[in-house]
Amino acid sequence: MFKEDAPLMNLLKEYVKKDPVRFHMPGHKGKFIFSLQKLLSGNLYKFDVTEIPGFDNLHQPEGILKQSQRNLASLYGARSSFYLVNGATSGIIAAMASFLKEGDRVLVPRNSHRSVLNGIILTKSEPVYLIPGVDTELGICLDVPEEKWVSAIEDGKNIKALLVTNPNYNGICPDIEKIIKTARKMKIKTIVDEAHGPHFKFSKKLPPSGLDYKAEITVQSPHKMLLSLTQSAWLHFNGSGKEEEVIRENLSLITSTSPSYILIASLELAVIFLRKFGAKFVEKGVELAELARRGINRFTPFYCPGVDYAKSKGFFYDVSRLIVNTSSSGYSGLYVEKILRKQYNIFTEYADLNNIYLLITGANSKKEVLNIIKALSTFRKKKGKIFPVGILKKLPERILLPYEVFLRDFEYIPLKNSPGRICRNPVIPYPPGIPVLNPGELITKEHVELLEELVANNYICQGIKNNCIAVVENG
Ligand SMILES: Cc1ncc(COP(=O)(O)O)c(C=O)c1O
């Protein structure tokens, strides 16, 4: 095979050969955690079937898939649960389509995942954005405080649904009990984006789940923190019988008619595993993460906040996610990430100018945790500074709804010429990962000044390409 024929395969093979320490998704970390997983090894192609006779149908399950999904629902205490083969992304879109019609308003944190914006566009709904807090001492995004949620729910007009993220990408969770209960009182439907929290149910040391308070819909990605294969996910439903039909129909609308039975089998294996060993697996991950946190704080120049930190800011925290602040010790997160990868064969989940981010599950080992502590302890403390987070104090003016933007022609123009134009794509600087501009919003001189400064200082700025930004016609 020539190198240029298969750039992806070559890189994957090289990665596997290196056998790196993985502090990133997926949660299985490339290992067989229990013997049943081996069923899916060997010639994977032999298992690659879909809805042939006798194998049921994910779009109208009446046999093996119906039973398998029932087992999942009973494990999580849901009225019903659905397997997904296109990630939590598809569950979030289908959930939004179940509660929102054209013109309805939906409450969402400004830092929601891209799938939420996709849901807003496809349902032609109107987003009401809640701006999350930021921590300027660590240079990270926090979340929307519960008081802000409650007043937005109580004061909002024509709000039909809300979408709360539990946890966000940094592991931070708002008080979903308050949010769900207030929403129920106001007859607003709750969708919980729990893509990163499928393990919450299995340990008392972790934040509560949307399922604990019977949110109408909770969407989870077991591939992130548990054991299923990438792209597999599930959706738990706790609404009324009529709504159950609607969600089923909406899932069908956006799901392939050839769902991968390999992905579905990996979900079923995860359920079997979790029923028997879920608590043990998740507890192990939590303990390893605490070991890593203690070690990093004690033996390295870096700071890794924990539950008490999040509590002091008014949030719950998923301790199995680690934010390691490096910039206050004189190193950008991007630099530390590169050293870990190149010199120590350790892969992180993500890095930005201020921090590196690690995900730890029960599939990691104590040896791997000791490895990263040792690697990080080789850095010497220097004079550092936290890179300021790129945020604006107030929301931009909205000219068009997000879906209207997608009905118009667009062009990329130099950022400096863009004041007065309407933004097409989300523009998101990292840190902190909160959009400065979203589709349909008016670009001003202040936006351009901020974005130019961030780009000049090497911030990752999604939505800006070669100093250009996508805009649509104003008229
Ligand atoms: C907060 C959040 N929600 C939803 C998703 C989508 O999950 P999936 O990758 O399973 O589609 C992600 C993906 O990273 C995410 O970070």
mmCIF file of all heavy atoms in Angstrom, residues 2 7 46 64 86 92 112 152 189 235 265 280 285 288 341 355 407 421 451 453:
data_model
loop_
_atom_site.group_PDB
_atom_site.id
_atom_site.type_symbol
_atom_site.label_atom_id
_atom_site.label_comp_id
_atom_site.label_asym_id
_atom_site.label_seq_id
_atom_site.Cartn_x
_atom_site.Cartn_y
_atom_site.Cartn_z
ATOM 1 N N PHE A 2 0.619 2.139 -0.960
ATOM 2 C CA PHE A 2 1.396 3.372 -0.979
ATOM 3 C C PHE A 2 0.889 4.319 0.100
ATOM 4 O O PHE A 2 -0.309 4.374 0.368
ATOM 5 C CB PHE A 2 1.297 4.048 -2.353
ATOM 6 C CG PHE A 2 2.030 3.303 -3.410
ATOM 7 C CD1 PHE A 2 1.346 2.712 -4.446
ATOM 8 C CD2 PHE A 2 3.426 3.184 -3.351
ATOM 9 C CE1 PHE A 2 2.024 2.009 -5.422
ATOM 10 C CE2 PHE A 2 4.102 2.490 -4.334
ATOM 11 C CZ PHE A 2 3.404 1.890 -5.376
ATOM 12 N N PRO A 7 -3.994 7.663 3.601
ATOM 13 C CA PRO A 7 -3.443 8.494 4.676
ATOM 14 C C PRO A 7 -4.081 8.214 6.031
ATOM 15 O O PRO A 7 -3.394 8.195 7.058
ATOM 16 C CB PRO A 7 -3.738 9.931 4.215
ATOM 17 C CG PRO A 7 -4.737 9.818 3.131
ATOM 18 C CD PRO A 7 -4.598 8.461 2.529
ATOM 19 N N LYS A 46 -17.446 -10.012 9.374
ATOM 20 C CA LYS A 46 -18.448 -11.083 9.484
ATOM 21 C C LYS A 46 -19.679 -10.628 10.249
ATOM 22 O O LYS A 46 -20.761 -11.167 10.088
ATOM 23 C CB LYS A 46 -17.834 -12.291 10.189
ATOM 24 C CG LYS A 46 -16.872 -13.063 9.333
ATOM 25 C CD LYS A 46 -16.505 -14.367 9.999
ATOM 26 C CE LYS A 46 -15.623 -15.165 9.065
ATOM 27 N NZ LYS A 46 -15.015 -16.312 9.716
ATOM 28 N N ILE A 64 -35.711 -8.725 18.569
ATOM 29 C CA ILE A 64 -34.468 -8.642 19.354
ATOM 30 C C ILE A 64 -34.120 -7.195 19.749
ATOM 31 O O ILE A 64 -33.674 -6.944 20.878
ATOM 32 C CB ILE A 64 -33.260 -9.246 18.590
ATOM 33 C CG1 ILE A 64 -33.231 -8.733 17.138
ATOM 34 C CG2 ILE A 64 -33.276 -10.763 18.648
ATOM 35 C CD1 ILE A 64 -31.913 -8.929 16.433
ATOM 36 N N ASN A 86 -25.963 7.429 15.154
ATOM 37 C CA ASN A 86 -25.277 8.645 14.677
ATOM 38 C C ASN A 86 -25.036 9.610 15.840
ATOM 39 O O ASN A 86 -25.265 10.812 15.729
ATOM 40 C CB ASN A 86 -26.083 9.313 13.562
ATOM 41 C CG ASN A 86 -25.272 10.421 12.897
ATOM 42 O OD1 ASN A 86 -24.040 10.450 13.025
ATOM 43 N ND2 ASN A 86 -25.932 11.339 12.236
ATOM 44 N N ILE A 92 -30.212 14.503 19.954
ATOM 45 C CA ILE A 92 -30.523 15.886 20.337
ATOM 46 C C ILE A 92 -31.415 16.535 19.267
ATOM 47 O O ILE A 92 -32.411 17.180 19.571
ATOM 48 C CB ILE A 92 -29.207 16.678 20.562
ATOM 49 C CG1 ILE A 92 -28.565 16.194 21.870
ATOM 50 C CG2 ILE A 92 -29.454 18.181 20.588
ATOM 51 C CD1 ILE A 92 -27.140 16.649 22.083
ATOM 52 N N SER A 112 -23.752 25.768 24.016
ATOM 53 C CA SER A 112 -24.247 24.417 23.692
ATOM 54 C C SER A 112 -23.446 23.794 22.558
ATOM 55 O O SER A 112 -22.856 24.498 21.742
ATOM 56 C CB SER A 112 -25.705 24.488 23.219
ATOM 57 O OG SER A 112 -26.539 24.918 24.241
ATOM 58 N N ALA A 152 -34.987 32.850 33.664
ATOM 59 C CA ALA A 152 -35.298 32.782 32.222
ATOM 60 C C ALA A 152 -36.512 31.884 31.972
ATOM 61 O O ALA A 152 -37.347 32.181 31.109
ATOM 62 C CB ALA A 152 -34.088 32.260 31.451
ATOM 63 N N LYS A 189 -40.831 21.711 28.240
ATOM 64 C CA LYS A 189 -40.201 20.380 28.151
ATOM 65 C C LYS A 189 -38.686 20.492 28.324
ATOM 66 O O LYS A 189 -38.071 21.432 27.804
ATOM 67 C CB LYS A 189 -40.466 19.748 26.775
ATOM 68 C CG LYS A 189 -41.918 19.692 26.398
ATOM 69 C CD LYS A 189 -42.654 18.673 27.209
ATOM 70 C CE LYS A 189 -44.111 18.603 26.796
ATOM 71 N NZ LYS A 189 -44.897 17.760 27.672
ATOM 72 N N LEU A 235 -30.827 7.268 23.721
ATOM 73 C CA LEU A 235 -31.724 8.332 24.169
ATOM 74 C C LEU A 235 -32.731 7.713 25.130
ATOM 75 O O LEU A 235 -33.312 6.662 24.843
ATOM 76 C CB LEU A 235 -32.440 8.921 22.947
ATOM 77 C CG LEU A 235 -33.462 10.037 23.163
ATOM 78 C CD1 LEU A 235 -33.501 10.956 21.942
ATOM 79 C CD2 LEU A 235 -34.870 9.519 23.446
ATOM 80 N N ALA A 265 -24.552 -3.631 18.507
ATOM 81 C CA ALA A 265 -24.074 -4.722 19.381
ATOM 82 C C ALA A 265 -23.157 -4.156 20.471
ATOM 83 O O ALA A 265 -23.179 -4.623 21.617
ATOM 84 C CB ALA A 265 -23.335 -5.769 18.545
ATOM 85 N N LYS A 280 -18.603 -0.745 39.644
ATOM 86 C CA LYS A 280 -17.173 -1.000 39.861
ATOM 87 C C LYS A 280 -16.312 -0.238 38.834
ATOM 88 O O LYS A 280 -15.306 0.387 39.162
ATOM 89 C CB LYS A 280 -16.932 -2.508 39.704
ATOM 90 C CG LYS A 280 -15.802 -3.037 40.530
ATOM 91 C CD LYS A 280 -15.881 -4.537 40.575
ATOM 92 C CE LYS A 280 -14.468 -5.075 40.625
ATOM 93 N NZ LYS A 280 -14.381 -6.438 40.195
ATOM 94 N N GLY A 285 -12.798 4.511 37.692
ATOM 95 C CA GLY A 285 -12.453 5.714 36.922
ATOM 96 C C GLY A 285 -12.368 6.937 37.831
ATOM 97 O O GLY A 285 -11.438 7.747 37.729
ATOM 98 N N LEU A 288 -9.226 6.736 39.987
ATOM 99 C CA LEU A 288 -8.017 7.037 39.200
ATOM 100 C C LEU A 288 -7.917 8.541 38.921
ATOM 101 O O LEU A 288 -6.835 9.125 38.986
ATOM 102 C CB LEU A 288 -8.046 6.281 37.863
ATOM 103 C CG LEU A 288 -7.776 4.784 37.927
ATOM 104 C CD1 LEU A 288 -7.940 4.170 36.542
ATOM 105 C CD2 LEU A 288 -6.382 4.490 38.467
ATOM 106 N N ARG A 341 2.552 14.211 24.022
ATOM 107 C CA ARG A 341 2.322 13.315 22.873
ATOM 108 C C ARG A 341 3.641 12.870 22.248
ATOM 109 O O ARG A 341 3.859 11.674 22.025
ATOM 110 C CB ARG A 341 1.454 14.062 21.850
ATOM 111 C CG ARG A 341 1.091 13.284 20.610
ATOM 112 C CD ARG A 341 -0.144 13.874 19.935
ATOM 113 N NE ARG A 341 -0.147 15.324 19.883
ATOM 114 C CZ ARG A 341 0.362 16.047 18.886
ATOM 115 N NH1 ARG A 341 0.915 15.458 17.855
ATOM 116 N NH2 ARG A 341 0.317 17.387 18.910
ATOM 117 N N ASN A 355 -5.074 25.429 29.195
ATOM 118 C CA ASN A 355 -5.228 24.139 29.900
ATOM 119 C C ASN A 355 -5.045 22.947 28.974
ATOM 120 O O ASN A 355 -5.191 23.072 27.767
ATOM 121 C CB ASN A 355 -6.659 24.049 30.467
ATOM 122 C CG ASN A 355 -6.974 25.174 31.433
ATOM 123 O OD1 ASN A 355 -6.415 25.234 32.518
ATOM 124 N ND2 ASN A 355 -7.840 26.085 31.021
ATOM 125 N N LEU A 407 -30.993 29.787 4.268
ATOM 126 C CA LEU A 407 -31.745 29.871 3.013
ATOM 127 C C LEU A 407 -31.124 30.909 2.077
ATOM 128 O O LEU A 407 -31.616 31.145 0.989
ATOM 129 C CB LEU A 407 -33.207 30.247 3.298
ATOM 130 C CG LEU A 407 -33.960 29.295 4.224
ATOM 131 C CD1 LEU A 407 -35.357 29.819 4.522
ATOM 132 C CD2 LEU A 407 -34.059 27.899 3.597
ATOM 133 N N ARG A 421 -22.437 43.358 8.429
ATOM 134 C CA ARG A 421 -22.926 42.177 7.705
ATOM 135 C C ARG A 421 -23.509 41.156 8.690
ATOM 136 O O ARG A 421 -23.295 41.238 9.890
ATOM 137 C CB ARG A 421 -21.775 41.522 6.904
ATOM 138 C CG ARG A 421 -21.119 42.421 5.891
ATOM 139 C CD ARG A 421 -22.050 42.831 4.761
ATOM 140 N NE ARG A 421 -22.652 41.714 4.043
ATOM 141 C CZ ARG A 421 -22.133 41.163 2.940
ATOM 142 N NH1 ARG A 421 -21.026 41.657 2.413
ATOM 143 N NH2 ARG A 421 -22.736 40.160 2.343
ATOM 144 N N LEU A 451 -12.049 39.641 17.643
ATOM 145 C CA LEU A 451 -11.636 38.442 16.899
ATOM 146 C C LEU A 451 -10.243 38.625 16.299
ATOM 147 O O LEU A 451 -9.422 37.698 16.312
ATOM 148 C CB LEU A 451 -12.663 38.109 15.816
ATOM 149 C CG LEU A 451 -14.023 37.645 16.370
ATOM 150 C CD1 LEU A 451 -15.073 37.580 15.271
ATOM 151 C CD2 LEU A 451 -13.901 36.297 17.080
ATOM 152 N N GLU A 453 -7.848 40.391 17.477
ATOM 153 C CA GLU A 453 -6.864 40.282 18.552
ATOM 154 C C GLU A 453 -6.649 38.801 18.932
ATOM 155 O O GLU A 453 -5.524 38.344 19.129
ATOM 156 C CB GLU A 453 -7.357 41.068 19.764
ATOM 157 C CG GLU A 453 -6.297 41.183 20.845
ATOM 158 C CD GLU A 453 -6.839 41.836 22.103
ATOM 159 O OE1 GLU A 453 -7.763 42.658 21.991
ATOM 160 O OE2 GLU A 453 -6.316 41.497 23.172
#
